[in-house]
Amino acid sequence: MRLWMWIALLCLPHAAVAESPPVDLGEQVREAEKAFARTMAERDHGAFVSFLAEEAVFLSRSSVSRGKQAVADRWKTYFEGEVAPFSWAPETVEVLDSGELAISTGPVWGSRGQRISTYTSIWRLEEPGVWRIIFDKGDKYCE
């Protein structure tokens, strides 16, 4: 490249250099939670498993499943049949200032549309743009 081309490039206004827009981590987690919920609606157990961290811990009313494989095995029965036994959606999402952990909470509905529970999921950023669940728990819903 000729010297005059280098000088021309250096003299370009900074506005000409494209800057990436800031990443909204809360929106990333919200979208991850929605995609996670779609795995149940679409009856796709394999996709469900892809959202689990290796050391995931899922707490239910009667047991605790530790590790990705244990959670996958325990939840497999929820993916049997044509109709999903429940669905969920994020209502509240918050991300630590460090951008490494997030919490998502929201309602869980039964197959007939009635609210049956409230879920809480803790997400960890495992690589840029990839959030995986490390903790999940459902609690009884009380009006």
Side-chain angles (χ1 to χ4, degrees):
M1 187 179 273
R2 296 184 181 243
L3 180 59
W4 66 269
M5 290 178 151
W6 282 109
I7 293 170
L9 285 173
L10 291 173
C11 291
L12 284 175
H14 291 309
V17 177
E19 291 186 23
S20 299
V23 175
D24 184 340
L25 296 178
E27 191 56 31
Q28 274 188 2
V29 174
R30 184 176 300 282
E31 291 305 312
E33 185 70 66
K34 288 178 181 179
F36 184 54
R38 272 193 307 276
T39 68
M40 179 64 72
E42 295 172 359
R43 321 304 293 129
D44 189 345
H45 184 257
F48 170 86
V49 174
S50 75
F51 285 92
L52 304 176
E54 287 298 324
E55 58 187 339
V57 176
F58 274 46
L59 299 97
S60 71
R61 292 182 186 125
S62 61
S63 69
V64 175
S65 299
R66 293 184 166 277
K68 183 177 187 171
Q69 190 59 55
V71 173
D73 292 347
R74 174 129 171 93
W75 276 64
K76 187 151 180 69
T77 58
Y78 296 131
F79 288 85
E80 296 170 357
E82 292 182 25
V83 177
F86 53 86
S87 62
W88 68 94
E91 194 170 68
T92 303
V93 173
E94 290 293 333
V95 180
L96 288 179
D97 288 344
S98 68
E100 296 174 2
L101 293 175
I103 187 169
S104 173
T105 65
V108 179
W109 299 282
S111 61
R112 289 178 271 145
Q114 75 284 18
R115 186 163 182 179
I116 58 173
S117 184
T118 299
Y119 80 88
T120 301
S121 295
I122 307 296
W123 294 80
R124 178 173 60 203
L125 184 63
E126 294 202 339
E127 58 187 78
V130 179
W131 291 87
R132 291 209 171 86
I133 295 179
I134 55 174
F135 290 102
D136 184 86
K137 184 176 189 315
D139 288 306
K140 277 187 170 181
Y141 173 68
C142 299
E143 290 190 38

PDB file of all heavy atoms in Angstrom, residues 1-29:
ATOM      1  N   MET A   1       0.852  -1.160   0.000  1.00  0.00           N
ATOM      2  CA  MET A   1       0.000   0.000   0.000  1.00  0.00           C
ATOM      3  C   MET A   1       0.910   1.238   0.000  1.00  0.00           C
ATOM      4  O   MET A   1       1.883   1.288   0.727  1.00  0.00           O
ATOM      5  CB  MET A   1      -0.920  -0.015   1.227  1.00  0.00           C
ATOM      6  CG  MET A   1      -1.943   1.054   1.203  1.00  0.00           C
ATOM      7  SD  MET A   1      -3.049   1.006   2.637  1.00  0.00           S
ATOM      8  CE  MET A   1      -4.295  -0.114   2.085  1.00  0.00           C
ATOM      9  N   ARG A   2       0.566   2.196  -0.770  1.00  0.00           N
ATOM     10  CA  ARG A   2       1.374   3.420  -0.882  1.00  0.00           C
ATOM     11  C   ARG A   2       1.199   4.298   0.353  1.00  0.00           C
ATOM     12  O   ARG A   2       0.171   4.262   1.024  1.00  0.00           O
ATOM     13  CB  ARG A   2       0.977   4.177  -2.129  1.00  0.00           C
ATOM     14  CG  ARG A   2       1.280   3.369  -3.364  1.00  0.00           C
ATOM     15  CD  ARG A   2       0.961   4.177  -4.587  1.00  0.00           C
ATOM     16  NE  ARG A   2       1.235   3.367  -5.738  1.00  0.00           N
ATOM     17  CZ  ARG A   2       2.144   3.657  -6.644  1.00  0.00           C
ATOM     18  NH1 ARG A   2       2.849   4.750  -6.533  1.00  0.00           N
ATOM     19  NH2 ARG A   2       2.340   2.864  -7.654  1.00  0.00           N
ATOM     20  N   LEU A   3       2.197   5.088   0.617  1.00  0.00           N
ATOM     21  CA  LEU A   3       2.205   5.955   1.780  1.00  0.00           C
ATOM     22  C   LEU A   3       0.996   6.886   1.809  1.00  0.00           C
ATOM     23  O   LEU A   3       0.373   7.083   2.856  1.00  0.00           O
ATOM     24  CB  LEU A   3       3.502   6.773   1.813  1.00  0.00           C
ATOM     25  CG  LEU A   3       3.653   7.730   2.985  1.00  0.00           C
ATOM     26  CD1 LEU A   3       3.596   6.979   4.302  1.00  0.00           C
ATOM     27  CD2 LEU A   3       4.919   8.535   2.873  1.00  0.00           C
ATOM     28  N   TRP A   4       0.605   7.454   0.705  1.00  0.00           N
ATOM     29  CA  TRP A   4      -0.520   8.378   0.688  1.00  0.00           C
ATOM     30  C   TRP A   4      -1.814   7.676   1.070  1.00  0.00           C
ATOM     31  O   TRP A   4      -2.698   8.270   1.679  1.00  0.00           O
ATOM     32  CB  TRP A   4      -0.650   9.091  -0.669  1.00  0.00           C
ATOM     33  CG  TRP A   4      -1.009   8.200  -1.824  1.00  0.00           C
ATOM     34  CD1 TRP A   4      -0.169   7.554  -2.663  1.00  0.00           C
ATOM     35  CD2 TRP A   4      -2.327   7.855  -2.239  1.00  0.00           C
ATOM     36  NE1 TRP A   4      -0.862   6.824  -3.577  1.00  0.00           N
ATOM     37  CE2 TRP A   4      -2.207   6.991  -3.351  1.00  0.00           C
ATOM     38  CE3 TRP A   4      -3.611   8.197  -1.795  1.00  0.00           C
ATOM     39  CZ2 TRP A   4      -3.296   6.452  -4.000  1.00  0.00           C
ATOM     40  CZ3 TRP A   4      -4.692   7.659  -2.458  1.00  0.00           C
ATOM     41  CH2 TRP A   4      -4.530   6.800  -3.552  1.00  0.00           C
ATOM     42  N   MET A   5      -1.947   6.339   0.763  1.00  0.00           N
ATOM     43  CA  MET A   5      -3.151   5.595   1.153  1.00  0.00           C
ATOM     44  C   MET A   5      -3.195   5.420   2.673  1.00  0.00           C
ATOM     45  O   MET A   5      -4.255   5.533   3.277  1.00  0.00           O
ATOM     46  CB  MET A   5      -3.188   4.232   0.464  1.00  0.00           C
ATOM     47  CG  MET A   5      -3.430   4.301  -1.016  1.00  0.00           C
ATOM     48  SD  MET A   5      -3.380   2.635  -1.670  1.00  0.00           S
ATOM     49  CE  MET A   5      -4.465   2.804  -3.042  1.00  0.00           C
ATOM     50  N   TRP A   6      -2.069   5.119   3.295  1.00  0.00           N
ATOM     51  CA  TRP A   6      -2.003   4.988   4.752  1.00  0.00           C
ATOM     52  C   TRP A   6      -2.385   6.302   5.422  1.00  0.00           C
ATOM     53  O   TRP A   6      -3.144   6.322   6.391  1.00  0.00           O
ATOM     54  CB  TRP A   6      -0.600   4.563   5.204  1.00  0.00           C
ATOM     55  CG  TRP A   6      -0.327   3.115   5.004  1.00  0.00           C
ATOM     56  CD1 TRP A   6       0.511   2.568   4.100  1.00  0.00           C
ATOM     57  CD2 TRP A   6      -0.917   2.037   5.717  1.00  0.00           C
ATOM     58  NE1 TRP A   6       0.487   1.198   4.191  1.00  0.00           N
ATOM     59  CE2 TRP A   6      -0.400   0.838   5.195  1.00  0.00           C
ATOM     60  CE3 TRP A   6      -1.851   1.934   6.754  1.00  0.00           C
ATOM     61  CZ2 TRP A   6      -0.743  -0.410   5.648  1.00  0.00           C
ATOM     62  CZ3 TRP A   6      -2.199   0.682   7.209  1.00  0.00           C
ATOM     63  CH2 TRP A   6      -1.658  -0.475   6.658  1.00  0.00           C
ATOM     64  N   ILE A   7      -1.840   7.391   4.897  1.00  0.00           N
ATOM     65  CA  ILE A   7      -2.145   8.705   5.474  1.00  0.00           C
ATOM     66  C   ILE A   7      -3.639   9.001   5.340  1.00  0.00           C
ATOM     67  O   ILE A   7      -4.285   9.475   6.279  1.00  0.00           O
ATOM     68  CB  ILE A   7      -1.290   9.807   4.812  1.00  0.00           C
ATOM     69  CG1 ILE A   7       0.184   9.593   5.181  1.00  0.00           C
ATOM     70  CG2 ILE A   7      -1.766  11.194   5.213  1.00  0.00           C
ATOM     71  CD1 ILE A   7       1.159  10.459   4.409  1.00  0.00           C
ATOM     72  N   ALA A   8      -4.216   8.677   4.204  1.00  0.00           N
ATOM     73  CA  ALA A   8      -5.648   8.899   3.990  1.00  0.00           C
ATOM     74  C   ALA A   8      -6.475   8.085   4.983  1.00  0.00           C
ATOM     75  O   ALA A   8      -7.460   8.578   5.548  1.00  0.00           O
ATOM     76  CB  ALA A   8      -6.029   8.565   2.552  1.00  0.00           C
ATOM     77  N   LEU A   9      -6.100   6.824   5.209  1.00  0.00           N
ATOM     78  CA  LEU A   9      -6.834   5.976   6.155  1.00  0.00           C
ATOM     79  C   LEU A   9      -6.735   6.520   7.579  1.00  0.00           C
ATOM     80  O   LEU A   9      -7.710   6.516   8.326  1.00  0.00           O
ATOM     81  CB  LEU A   9      -6.308   4.539   6.108  1.00  0.00           C
ATOM     82  CG  LEU A   9      -6.732   3.719   4.907  1.00  0.00           C
ATOM     83  CD1 LEU A   9      -6.010   2.377   4.903  1.00  0.00           C
ATOM     84  CD2 LEU A   9      -8.231   3.506   4.902  1.00  0.00           C
ATOM     85  N   LEU A  10      -5.553   6.987   7.947  1.00  0.00           N
ATOM     86  CA  LEU A  10      -5.363   7.522   9.291  1.00  0.00           C
ATOM     87  C   LEU A  10      -6.124   8.814   9.509  1.00  0.00           C
ATOM     88  O   LEU A  10      -6.477   9.167  10.634  1.00  0.00           O
ATOM     89  CB  LEU A  10      -3.866   7.736   9.566  1.00  0.00           C
ATOM     90  CG  LEU A  10      -3.049   6.460   9.700  1.00  0.00           C
ATOM     91  CD1 LEU A  10      -1.565   6.796   9.801  1.00  0.00           C
ATOM     92  CD2 LEU A  10      -3.493   5.645  10.900  1.00  0.00           C
ATOM     93  N   CYS A  11      -6.382   9.530   8.461  1.00  0.00           N
ATOM     94  CA  CYS A  11      -7.072  10.817   8.571  1.00  0.00           C
ATOM     95  C   CYS A  11      -8.591  10.691   8.527  1.00  0.00           C
ATOM     96  O   CYS A  11      -9.293  11.689   8.682  1.00  0.00           O
ATOM     97  CB  CYS A  11      -6.601  11.755   7.455  1.00  0.00           C
ATOM     98  SG  CYS A  11      -4.884  12.262   7.687  1.00  0.00           S
ATOM     99  N   LEU A  12      -9.108   9.503   8.304  1.00  0.00           N
ATOM    100  CA  LEU A  12     -10.560   9.333   8.272  1.00  0.00           C
ATOM    101  C   LEU A  12     -11.138   9.677   9.636  1.00  0.00           C
ATOM    102  O   LEU A  12     -10.559   9.367  10.674  1.00  0.00           O
ATOM    103  CB  LEU A  12     -10.931   7.882   7.944  1.00  0.00           C
ATOM    104  CG  LEU A  12     -10.785   7.448   6.488  1.00  0.00           C
ATOM    105  CD1 LEU A  12     -11.072   5.950   6.376  1.00  0.00           C
ATOM    106  CD2 LEU A  12     -11.729   8.213   5.599  1.00  0.00           C
ATOM    107  N   PRO A  13     -12.296  10.297   9.662  1.00  0.00           N
ATOM    108  CA  PRO A  13     -12.926  10.584  10.960  1.00  0.00           C
ATOM    109  C   PRO A  13     -13.256   9.272  11.672  1.00  0.00           C
ATOM    110  O   PRO A  13     -13.541   8.260  11.043  1.00  0.00           O
ATOM    111  CB  PRO A  13     -14.203  11.334  10.592  1.00  0.00           C
ATOM    112  CG  PRO A  13     -14.204  11.525   9.124  1.00  0.00           C
ATOM    113  CD  PRO A  13     -13.057  10.775   8.539  1.00  0.00           C
ATOM    114  N   HIS A  14     -13.210   9.309  12.992  1.00  0.00           N
ATOM    115  CA  HIS A  14     -13.494   8.101  13.775  1.00  0.00           C
ATOM    116  C   HIS A  14     -14.894   7.562  13.512  1.00  0.00           C
ATOM    117  O   HIS A  14     -15.140   6.389  13.639  1.00  0.00           O
ATOM    118  CB  HIS A  14     -13.314   8.367  15.263  1.00  0.00           C
ATOM    119  CG  HIS A  14     -11.894   8.585  15.650  1.00  0.00           C
ATOM    120  ND1 HIS A  14     -10.883   7.733  15.296  1.00  0.00           N
ATOM    121  CD2 HIS A  14     -11.309   9.588  16.356  1.00  0.00           C
ATOM    122  CE1 HIS A  14      -9.732   8.179  15.765  1.00  0.00           C
ATOM    123  NE2 HIS A  14      -9.964   9.309  16.405  1.00  0.00           N
ATOM    124  N   ALA A  15     -15.825   8.417  13.155  1.00  0.00           N
ATOM    125  CA  ALA A  15     -17.201   7.979  12.890  1.00  0.00           C
ATOM    126  C   ALA A  15     -17.252   7.008  11.725  1.00  0.00           C
ATOM    127  O   ALA A  15     -18.177   6.215  11.627  1.00  0.00           O
ATOM    128  CB  ALA A  15     -18.091   9.177  12.603  1.00  0.00           C
ATOM    129  N   ALA A  16     -16.247   7.046  10.868  1.00  0.00           N
ATOM    130  CA  ALA A  16     -16.245   6.146   9.718  1.00  0.00           C
ATOM    131  C   ALA A  16     -15.918   4.718  10.133  1.00  0.00           C
ATOM    132  O   ALA A  16     -16.171   3.784   9.404  1.00  0.00           O
ATOM    133  CB  ALA A  16     -15.242   6.627   8.669  1.00  0.00           C
ATOM    134  N   VAL A  17     -15.358   4.545  11.315  1.00  0.00           N
ATOM    135  CA  VAL A  17     -15.031   3.211  11.810  1.00  0.00           C
ATOM    136  C   VAL A  17     -16.284   2.648  12.476  1.00  0.00           C
ATOM    137  O   VAL A  17     -16.820   3.239  13.410  1.00  0.00           O
ATOM    138  CB  VAL A  17     -13.859   3.262  12.812  1.00  0.00           C
ATOM    139  CG1 VAL A  17     -13.573   1.891  13.371  1.00  0.00           C
ATOM    140  CG2 VAL A  17     -12.631   3.867  12.150  1.00  0.00           C
ATOM    141  N   ALA A  18     -16.730   1.523  11.988  1.00  0.00           N
ATOM    142  CA  ALA A  18     -17.957   0.921  12.517  1.00  0.00           C
ATOM    143  C   ALA A  18     -17.711   0.399  13.925  1.00  0.00           C
ATOM    144  O   ALA A  18     -16.752  -0.321  14.164  1.00  0.00           O
ATOM    145  CB  ALA A  18     -18.422  -0.207  11.611  1.00  0.00           C
ATOM    146  N   GLU A  19     -18.591   0.778  14.832  1.00  0.00           N
ATOM    147  CA  GLU A  19     -18.518   0.276  16.196  1.00  0.00           C
ATOM    148  C   GLU A  19     -19.691  -0.666  16.411  1.00  0.00           C
ATOM    149  O   GLU A  19     -20.785  -0.421  15.945  1.00  0.00           O
ATOM    150  CB  GLU A  19     -18.570   1.418  17.200  1.00  0.00           C
ATOM    151  CG  GLU A  19     -17.324   2.278  17.186  1.00  0.00           C
ATOM    152  CD  GLU A  19     -17.340   3.312  18.297  1.00  0.00           C
ATOM    153  OE1 GLU A  19     -18.041   3.100  19.304  1.00  0.00           O
ATOM    154  OE2 GLU A  19     -16.655   4.323  18.141  1.00  0.00           O
ATOM    155  N   SER A  20     -19.431  -1.746  17.148  1.00  0.00           N
ATOM    156  CA  SER A  20     -20.496  -2.686  17.453  1.00  0.00           C
ATOM    157  C   SER A  20     -21.433  -2.066  18.476  1.00  0.00           C
ATOM    158  O   SER A  20     -20.979  -1.417  19.418  1.00  0.00           O
ATOM    159  CB  SER A  20     -19.918  -3.979  18.029  1.00  0.00           C
ATOM    160  OG  SER A  20     -19.065  -4.572  17.091  1.00  0.00           O
ATOM    161  N   PRO A  21     -22.731  -2.268  18.293  1.00  0.00           N
ATOM    162  CA  PRO A  21     -23.655  -1.764  19.303  1.00  0.00           C
ATOM    163  C   PRO A  21     -23.444  -2.540  20.605  1.00  0.00           C
ATOM    164  O   PRO A  21     -22.997  -3.686  20.577  1.00  0.00           O
ATOM    165  CB  PRO A  21     -25.034  -2.053  18.700  1.00  0.00           C
ATOM    166  CG  PRO A  21     -24.795  -3.120  17.701  1.00  0.00           C
ATOM    167  CD  PRO A  21     -23.388  -2.964  17.217  1.00  0.00           C
ATOM    168  N   PRO A  22     -23.727  -1.923  21.742  1.00  0.00           N
ATOM    169  CA  PRO A  22     -23.556  -2.646  23.008  1.00  0.00           C
ATOM    170  C   PRO A  22     -24.480  -3.866  23.052  1.00  0.00           C
ATOM    171  O   PRO A  22     -25.599  -3.830  22.546  1.00  0.00           O
ATOM    172  CB  PRO A  22     -23.937  -1.624  24.077  1.00  0.00           C
ATOM    173  CG  PRO A  22     -24.650  -0.531  23.360  1.00  0.00           C
ATOM    174  CD  PRO A  22     -24.257  -0.587  21.919  1.00  0.00           C
ATOM    175  N   VAL A  23     -23.991  -4.924  23.648  1.00  0.00           N
ATOM    176  CA  VAL A  23     -24.763  -6.159  23.755  1.00  0.00           C
ATOM    177  C   VAL A  23     -25.687  -6.056  24.966  1.00  0.00           C
ATOM    178  O   VAL A  23     -25.244  -5.717  26.066  1.00  0.00           O
ATOM    179  CB  VAL A  23     -23.816  -7.373  23.917  1.00  0.00           C
ATOM    180  CG1 VAL A  23     -24.605  -8.647  24.158  1.00  0.00           C
ATOM    181  CG2 VAL A  23     -22.927  -7.510  22.694  1.00  0.00           C
ATOM    182  N   ASP A  24     -26.961  -6.318  24.773  1.00  0.00           N
ATOM    183  CA  ASP A  24     -27.932  -6.323  25.857  1.00  0.00           C
ATOM    184  C   ASP A  24     -27.997  -7.747  26.401  1.00  0.00           C
ATOM    185  O   ASP A  24     -28.686  -8.607  25.843  1.00  0.00           O
ATOM    186  CB  ASP A  24     -29.295  -5.864  25.341  1.00  0.00           C
ATOM    187  CG  ASP A  24     -30.330  -5.755  26.454  1.00  0.00           C
ATOM    188  OD1 ASP A  24     -30.140  -6.369  27.536  1.00  0.00           O
ATOM    189  OD2 ASP A  24     -31.332  -5.067  26.243  1.00  0.00           O
ATOM    190  N   LEU A  25     -27.244  -8.005  27.471  1.00  0.00           N
ATOM    191  CA  LEU A  25     -27.166  -9.356  28.018  1.00  0.00           C
ATOM    192  C   LEU A  25     -28.513  -9.821  28.566  1.00  0.00           C
ATOM    193  O   LEU A  25     -28.846 -10.995  28.459  1.00  0.00           O
ATOM    194  CB  LEU A  25     -26.087  -9.433  29.090  1.00  0.00           C
ATOM    195  CG  LEU A  25     -24.668  -9.171  28.600  1.00  0.00           C
ATOM    196  CD1 LEU A  25     -23.687  -9.236  29.765  1.00  0.00           C
ATOM    197  CD2 LEU A  25     -24.277 -10.149  27.504  1.00  0.00           C
ATOM    198  N   GLY A  26     -29.282  -8.907  29.138  1.00  0.00           N
ATOM    199  CA  GLY A  26     -30.610  -9.285  29.626  1.00  0.00           C
ATOM    200  C   GLY A  26     -31.483  -9.807  28.503  1.00  0.00           C
ATOM    201  O   GLY A  26     -32.192 -10.802  28.657  1.00  0.00           O
ATOM    202  N   GLU A  27     -31.410  -9.151  27.355  1.00  0.00           N
ATOM    203  CA  GLU A  27     -32.194  -9.609  26.199  1.00  0.00           C
ATOM    204  C   GLU A  27     -31.670 -10.952  25.691  1.00  0.00           C
ATOM    205  O   GLU A  27     -32.450 -11.800  25.276  1.00  0.00           O
ATOM    206  CB  GLU A  27     -32.177  -8.548  25.092  1.00  0.00           C
ATOM    207  CG  GLU A  27     -33.162  -8.808  23.983  1.00  0.00           C
ATOM    208  CD  GLU A  27     -34.611  -8.958  24.451  1.00  0.00           C
ATOM    209  OE1 GLU A  27     -35.018  -8.334  25.451  1.00  0.00           O
ATOM    210  OE2 GLU A  27     -35.356  -9.725  23.799  1.00  0.00           O
ATOM    211  N   GLN A  28     -30.359 -11.151  25.744  1.00  0.00           N
ATOM    212  CA  GLN A  28     -29.794 -12.453  25.353  1.00  0.00           C
ATOM    213  C   GLN A  28     -30.352 -13.566  26.228  1.00  0.00           C
ATOM    214  O   GLN A  28     -30.750 -14.616  25.732  1.00  0.00           O
ATOM    215  CB  GLN A  28     -28.262 -12.455  25.495  1.00  0.00           C
ATOM    216  CG  GLN A  28     -27.512 -11.938  24.333  1.00  0.00           C
ATOM    217  CD  GLN A  28     -26.007 -12.176  24.500  1.00  0.00           C
ATOM    218  OE1 GLN A  28     -25.536 -12.761  25.482  1.00  0.00           O
ATOM    219  NE2 GLN A  28     -25.264 -11.699  23.530  1.00  0.00           N
ATOM    220  N   VAL A  29     -30.399 -13.320  27.541  1.00  0.00           N
ATOM    221  CA  VAL A  29     -30.916 -14.336  28.470  1.00  0.00           C
ATOM    222  C   VAL A  29     -32.407 -14.556  28.234  1.00  0.00           C
ATOM    223  O   VAL A  29     -32.884 -15.696  28.213  1.00  0.00           O
ATOM    224  CB  VAL A  29     -30.630 -13.951  29.936  1.00  0.00           C
ATOM    225  CG1 VAL A  29     -31.297 -14.922  30.905  1.00  0.00           C
ATOM    226  CG2 VAL A  29     -29.130 -13.883  30.182  1.00  0.00           C
TER     227      VAL A  29
END
